[in-house]
């Protein structure tokens, strides 16, 4: 199996702002309770102890999530999000007693580099 291609991240800034998003497979509900939201935020915090990135804003609706983050390198953001989504899938299936039933997310996360203050403000309004 071939490794994944690296994301399209710019390499000419000290810190990068990213708009990160993903959704449930077949748009299924993955954030249907307050406990689901709290569990996801807890995972974000736990993973920050391992890979310290700056979270600017987080939002989730029943079937998707988006957040703004600041990271130093492509590797840092990819590793952080790999840990977050992998841990979230495992814990979500355990809490909902659905282990072994398949994927939770539609696919790998998407992260778009945010360039310019105007775009950053738009992203933060969308994810507040």
């Amino acid at each position: 199996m071939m490794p994944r291609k690296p994301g399209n991240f710019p390499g000419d800034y000290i810190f990068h702002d990213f708009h990160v998003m993903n959704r449930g497979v077949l748009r299924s509900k993955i954030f249907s309770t307050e406990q689901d939201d709290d569990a996801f935020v807890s995972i974000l915090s736990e993973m920050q102890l391992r890979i310290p990135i700056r979270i600017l804003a987080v939002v989730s609706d029943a079937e998707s999530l988006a957040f703004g983050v600041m990271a130093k390198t492509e590797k840092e953001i990819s590793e952080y999000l790999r840990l977050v989504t992998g841990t979230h899938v495992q814990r979500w299936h355990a809490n909902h007693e659905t282990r072994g039933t398949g994927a939770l997310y539609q696919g790998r996360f998407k992260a778009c580099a945010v360039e310019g203050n105007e775009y950053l403000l738009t992203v933060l309004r969308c994810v507040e």
Side-chain angles (χ1 to χ4, degrees), residues 3-18 20 51-53 69-83 108-113:
R4 292 186 190 272
K5 291 181 181 179
N8 184 21
F9 300 105
D12 55 349
Y13 299 104
I14 295 172
F15 283 93
H16 308 288
D17 299 327
F18 295 99
V20 179
I51 300 172
I53 66 171
V69 299
M70 288 181 78
K72 291 181 184 178
T73 66
E74 173 186 342
K75 183 178 178 182
E76 185 178 62
I77 188 77
S78 293
E79 182 65 11
Y80 177 79
L81 292 169
R82 183 189 67 78
L83 290 170
R108 187 174 185 222
F109 68 88
K110 292 170 183 54
C112 303

Side-chain angles (χ1 to χ4, degrees), residues 20-47:
V20 179
M21 59 222 110
N22 210 338
R23 73 174 65 235
V25 67
L26 298 175
R27 297 186 181 216
S28 60
K29 293 182 178 180
I30 55 177
F31 297 104
S32 55
T33 67
E34 190 174 320
Q35 289 81 11
D36 289 337
D37 293 338
D38 292 345
F40 185 75
V41 170
S42 175
I43 292 167
L44 291 176
S45 298
E46 283 178 47
M47 296 308 127

Side-chain angles (χ1 to χ4, degrees), residues 85-96:
T85 55
T87 303
H88 184 233
V89 168
Q90 291 175 358
R91 291 184 187 173
W92 191 93
H93 279 306
N95 290 335
H96 291 271

